[in-house]
Amino acid sequence: MSRPTINTPGLHLLGRFSYSSLLILMLVCPVVAQAQEQDQPGSSHPKLDNQVCFDCHQCAAPTANDPCLKSCLRSRGEHGVGRQPSAEYPEVIIIDELLELYKPVVFAHKYHADMSKMGAGCTECHHYSPAGNYPACKECHDAAVTSLDRPNINQPGLKGAYHQQCLDCHIAWSNTTGCNFCHLSIEQALAGKDIRGEGDSYHLSQPRIKSEARYVYETEYEDGPMVTFYHDNHVDMFGLECADCHQGDACGSCHRVGAIARVKGDLHEDCSTCHDENDCTICHRSSVAPAFSHAAKSGWELGAQHENLACSACHNTARASGMLSSSCGECHQSWEVGNFDHAVTGLALNIEHAELDCESCHGDPLFANTPICSSCHDGDVAYPEDVPGARSNDN
Amino acid sequence: MDRKKFFKTVGIAGTSLVAMSSTADARTRIVSPDWMGMLTDLSLCIGCRKCEWACNEANKLPNKPIQSFDDPSVFQEERRTHAEQFTVVNRFEVDDRPEPVFVKKQCMHCAEPACASACLVRAFSKTAEGPVLYNKDVCIGCRYCMIACPFLVPTYEYADAFSPEVKKCTMCFERFTQQGEVPACAGICPREAITFGKRSDLLKLAREKIRSHPDRYVDHIYGEHEVGGTNWLYISPVPFEELGFRTDLGETPYPEMTRPFLSAVPLVLSIWPMLLMGSYMFSKKREGEAPSTDLHERVDS
Ligand code: SF4
Ligand code: SF4
């Protein structure tokens, strides 16, 4: 009777990295490692002194131009850190290698990559990867999980790799092992639900993070015990990224309903990245502070045109209190006849007026004062009784 | 058979039983490097029970739609394997651990199976490939195997009035010897909590996992030595006694312990099945079928 075998490294030696090949290589390696050390004492790998060359490289003489790095590196100590620039990583990955019982998973790679900034970066999932090179799971994990030909039982197959990696976090905060958390069942798919078609469908059943708009803290600081923190202002208006404040916390601290996530470290330290630490009254008040209001803060009310802009659209300093003058031209330097649609102000100019320079009517750079008609017209014409065009209703 | 002849037969059988038990100590323990086995990593199991579903499918046992296996209410009580379910997953809440531990149970495929040695007609055999298999054609229904098994695994088809069999996990013997596929539970397990491979490789893998993740596992491979070793191995994040595993079984193979017991069973009890078997084989022969003998190469015992 032919005996089933699983470890048949000979078959895989040529094609792909296998454990046996690593073993053989490691036997040869110390010699090479020594040679390398002699050639380049204390060279570019200061943190890797416990490793041998073939842990990472697949050729005997790696060079800077051709480092011949293994794609399925399984290093013993250090492994890659850092991130690829966001443009280079895929936004969405459809995982459909293993389709027996369930439909593909639409994996929101970019969301996860962004979230990983709160942890160890790409290596949070792409473990054992050489720095700067993060191969897809299937590069190293074999899809043939049910076959006896699987080259290496010491490493999870592709299905195991996905489920071990994803569920490690997902179970911890969702407390469910239901497959439909990530997959649609064939039945659901047949019933017409196409996970790729629905707008923001990447999330499927994953709950969106629900943070409170406002948190009120009572502190022991006598002169101002109440600290009011508007989370929504910071995220939506000030445009902070999660990782700017949250670091090293479990996924469930944000995703679990009612969870309160911690911030990086000391609150004073974190907040003073933007706020002046020496002015306690910025945060500490005797009562609950109102939400941010540009008018109250600066005296300049944001009109319809400005209120949806991120602070950074106008203020380019980290501390938004970098004051701007109220001259429109400070930002809108390029406005001139022909490229400004006056209708956005609620008044569409007629053809005679549309060709005039701004200054012809607006004598001051604030554009806030009443336009002057008398520079051209006799005294019988005056704004707002007379308008140089038509009022539009949409504003 | 007349009275005189009967007693003569009984006498011979009795002597041979005594002879068998006296050779027991001379047995050498055989743990083959080629045996296939399974390694269940309890730190990975999430209790999804897909293995139960796949086992039912593979063994043509009564089954339900796969979605219904998501229902966690079955975990309210600890379940046992039975004739219509060769594997069950139980949940254990463990002190100081936020998440429960799930334990898949099935036949351990002992290196020296108590079921096989208790069986008077050799209906159970340890194959050269590792699994312990049952041959329904020679079974006489005495159910000694059920009493002998330290893991309470083999069960009887009480519901079947005509040709009841003893049923248990086969480690999907046909599947891996003939179809080139891993056992059904190992194939479906989403987290690959179950690994199929050579027992010797699995032991290496288990040791390496424990060595490299001392925070994740207790330093114990269940089945490495228990009852003389089993082909199904487990590693676990918590001590096995907290998960319903018997840790009082010792390392002596059960056959070595059950043999004196069996020889002490009143003669008439032990001889009765033999007589039945005799008449069974006789009747089979008369029907013109050769009684099926060993299906598989047997590790000599
Ligand atoms: S676990 Fe029980 S049924 Fe399975 S081989 Fe061991 S003694 Fe026999
Ligand atoms: S299929 Fe795997 S993870 Fe699911 S219950 Fe069975 S052993 Fe555990």
Side-chain angles (χ1 to χ4, degrees):
Chain A
M1 177 178 292
S2 71
R3 199 148 285 159
T5 52
I6 286 192
N7 278 326
T8 48
L11 289 178
H12 303 275
L13 256 178
L14 294 175
R16 49 181 299 137
F17 164 62
S18 83
Y19 270 75
S20 326
S21 57
L22 178 61
L23 263 179
I24 296 165
L25 290 170
M26 275 165 53
L27 288 176
V28 187
C29 202
V31 180
V32 183
Q34 224 171 1
Q36 177 105 346
E37 264 163 32
Q38 281 167 3
D39 285 342
Q40 307 168 312
S43 67
S44 54
H45 301 56
K47 289 188 183 159
L48 304 181
D49 49 359
N50 288 328
Q51 288 183 276
V52 287
C53 313
F54 282 109
D55 280 349
C56 305
H57 302 278
Q58 48 195 346
C59 59
T63 62
N65 286 339
D66 178 18
C68 62
L69 285 173
K70 284 176 181 165
S71 62
C72 302
L73 182 64
R74 201 173 177 87
S75 85
R76 285 187 270 153
E78 285 293 300
H79 39 72
V81 284
R83 286 166 211 131
Q84 277 171 303
S86 57
E88 284 178 35
Y89 60 63
E91 184 165 334
V92 171
I93 297 172
I94 310 278
I95 300 174
D96 56 3
E97 279 86 2
L98 307 162
L99 295 177
E100 292 145 15
L101 300 160
Y102 291 92
K103 288 297 260 183
V105 171
V106 179
F107 173 59
H109 183 266
K110 185 172 180 297
Y111 283 116
H112 287 81
D114 288 348
M115 288 184 290
S116 77
K117 292 174 192 158
M118 286 178 270
C122 306
T123 55
E124 198 83 66
C125 297
H126 295 272
H127 51 187
Y128 309 119
S129 302
N133 174 19
Y134 302 103
C137 308
K138 64 182 167 209
E139 301 283 318
C140 303
H141 295 278
D142 204 291
V145 281
T146 59
S147 155
L148 290 178
D149 296 334
R150 188 169 142 195
N152 176 4
I153 60 165
N154 297 329
Q155 188 188 39
L158 188 55
K159 179 168 66 171
Y162 286 143
H163 288 92
Q164 288 179 22
Q165 200 72 285
C166 302
L167 284 168
D168 260 353
C169 298
H170 276 254
I171 276 187
W173 61 266
S174 68
N175 284 325
T176 171
T177 54
C179 309
N180 296 358
F181 202 67
C182 300
H183 299 265
L184 281 191
S185 68
I186 294 285
E187 285 81 1
Q188 280 173 301
L190 289 179
K193 265 197 142 192
D194 180 359
I195 40 181
R196 290 177 225 196
E198 297 171 8
D200 186 18
S201 55
Y202 309 144
H203 275 98
L204 287 176
S205 52
Q206 265 67 299
R208 280 203 168 278
I209 297 171
K210 284 204 194 86
S211 58
E212 302 284 334
R214 179 182 86 175
Y215 297 90
V216 180
Y217 303 95
E218 281 189 45
T219 70
E220 287 169 359
Y221 179 65
E222 279 179 16
D223 292 346
M226 305 285 264
V227 174
T228 319
F229 175 68
Y230 286 86
H231 192 270
D232 61 348
N233 279 176
H234 283 80
V235 174
D236 301 335
M237 202 182 287
F238 311 153
L240 296 188
E241 299 278 343
C242 307
D244 289 337
C245 302
H246 299 285
Q247 197 64 212
D249 222 349
C251 312
S253 347
C254 293
H255 285 278
R256 226 194 296 265
V257 178
I260 302 275
R262 288 189 308 255
V263 290
K264 278 185 207 167
D266 178 62
L267 275 169
H268 284 110
E269 205 178 290
D270 284 335
C271 300
S272 66
T273 320
C274 300
H275 300 285
D276 183 358
E277 197 175 15
N278 299 315
D279 183 359
C280 305
T281 62
I282 293 176
C283 303
H284 287 275
R285 309 277 176 90
S286 51
S287 58
V288 174
F292 177 80
S293 150
H294 198 271
K297 198 89 183 159
S298 68
W300 198 68
E301 191 161 352
L302 298 175
Q305 302 305 322
H306 293 97
E307 69 186 1
N308 292 324
L309 296 179
C311 307
S312 59
C314 306
H315 302 274
N316 55 11
T317 55
R319 285 173 202 264
S321 55
M323 283 256 262
L324 300 174
S325 83
S326 41
S327 155
C328 304
E330 176 143 350
C331 295
H332 302 286
Q333 286 160 358
S334 60
W335 277 354
E336 50 190 52
V337 176
N339 70 3
F340 178 70
D341 178 10
H342 203 278
V344 301
T345 67
L347 174 68
L349 295 178
N350 55 27
I351 186 104
E352 295 84 16
H353 289 89
E355 287 170 1
L356 298 177
D357 287 337
C358 308
E359 295 79 30
S360 306
C361 304
H362 298 283
D364 72 307
L366 291 182
F367 293 82
N369 299 329
T370 313
I372 306 155
C373 307
S374 58
S375 47
C376 302
H377 297 277
D378 292 338
D380 57 342
V381 179
Y383 185 85
E385 289 77 30
D386 302 301
V387 285
R391 299 233 177 243
S392 49
N393 293 329
D394 50 348
N395 238 321
Chain B
M1 186 185 288
D2 66 22
R3 232 174 101 88
K4 206 169 148 196
K5 245 191 185 161
F6 175 79
F7 278 114
K8 205 171 156 194
T9 324
V10 166
I12 293 166
T15 326
S16 66
L17 264 182
V18 171
M20 254 170 73
S21 64
S22 67
T23 54
D25 296 337
R27 273 162 54 106
T28 41
R29 220 171 275 179
I30 302 157
V31 177
S32 162
D34 289 334
W35 274 348
M36 303 308 283
M38 304 283 260
L39 172 65
T40 304
D41 182 341
L42 299 180
S43 77
L44 290 176
C45 176
I46 50 169
C48 70
R49 298 172 57 225
K50 298 290 176 281
C51 48
E52 291 184 15
W53 178 86
C55 178
N56 294 345
E57 285 291 296
N59 291 292
K60 304 194 173 58
L61 302 173
N63 212 357
K64 291 199 202 111
I66 193 160
Q67 272 76 22
S68 67
F69 283 74
D70 286 345
D71 174 15
S73 68
V74 293
F75 292 129
Q76 276 157 14
E77 56 189 42
E78 192 177 337
R79 294 174 303 145
R80 270 189 59 183
T81 53
H82 58 83
E84 294 188 340
Q85 179 133 44
F86 298 170
T87 186
V88 291
V89 180
N90 285 314
R91 182 177 65 192
F92 293 86
E93 303 289 347
V94 181
D95 290 347
D96 304 331
R97 230 188 111 85
E99 274 111 41
V101 179
F102 296 93
V103 179
K104 176 190 181 302
K105 274 176 70 165
Q106 71 297 304
C107 173
M108 298 290 287
H109 299 278
C110 305
E112 298 192 39
C115 56
S117 78
C119 178
L120 298 163
V121 295
R122 286 194 162 207
F124 279 93
S125 57
K126 180 78 178 170
T127 59
E129 291 81 1
V132 173
L133 296 187
Y134 164 79
N135 178 356
K136 68 177 189 315
D137 294 335
V138 298
C139 174
I140 49 173
C142 70
R143 281 162 274 159
Y144 277 14
C145 51
M146 291 172 50
I147 301 163
C149 171
F151 303 103
L152 305 176
V153 167
T155 43
Y156 203 56
E157 285 182 303
Y158 290 102
D160 187 336
F162 299 103
S163 56
E165 290 171 29
V166 177
K167 296 280 219 84
K168 71 164 197 71
C169 159
T170 63
M171 211 196 273
C172 288
F173 183 83
E174 310 270 304
R175 202 178 169 94
F176 80 78
T177 53
Q178 280 159 38
Q179 293 157 32
E181 278 186 21
V182 301
C185 55
I188 199 166
C189 178
R191 296 201 96 198
E192 290 181 37
I194 317 165
T195 309
F196 176 71
K198 277 190 184 166
R199 184 177 186 273
S200 49
D201 290 340
L202 294 174
L203 278 171
K204 274 187 224 147
L205 171 60
R207 276 191 212 109
E208 176 54 25
K209 281 190 174 200
I210 293 171
R211 191 198 61 78
S212 53
H213 297 286
D215 49 324
R216 193 160 182 165
Y217 303 102
V218 292
D219 187 7
H220 183 175
I221 304 172
Y222 193 93
E224 182 176 16
H225 302 299
E226 275 77 8
V227 296
T230 59
N231 284 46
W232 206 295
L233 306 165
Y234 288 86
I235 48 176
S236 162
V238 296
F240 284 98
E241 51 270 27
E242 293 175 32
L243 302 174
F245 282 80
R246 288 190 63 182
T247 48
D248 59 342
L249 295 173
E251 300 184 1
T252 316
Y254 257 48
E256 282 177 23
M257 296 194 284
T258 50
R259 204 163 288 111
F261 153 77
L262 280 176
S263 58
V265 174
L267 197 57
V268 65
L269 249 185
S270 13
I271 206 66
W272 191 238
M274 286 193 164
L275 291 177
L276 284 176
M277 180 195 66
S279 80
Y280 171 85
M281 303 232 322
F282 182 67
S283 63
K284 276 234 156 168
K285 267 217 173 92
R286 282 252 302 244
E287 281 163 20
E289 305 169 14
S292 57
T293 47
D294 291 358
L295 278 170
H296 317 288
E297 193 185 334
R298 196 174 267 148
V299 172
D300 213 0
S301 57

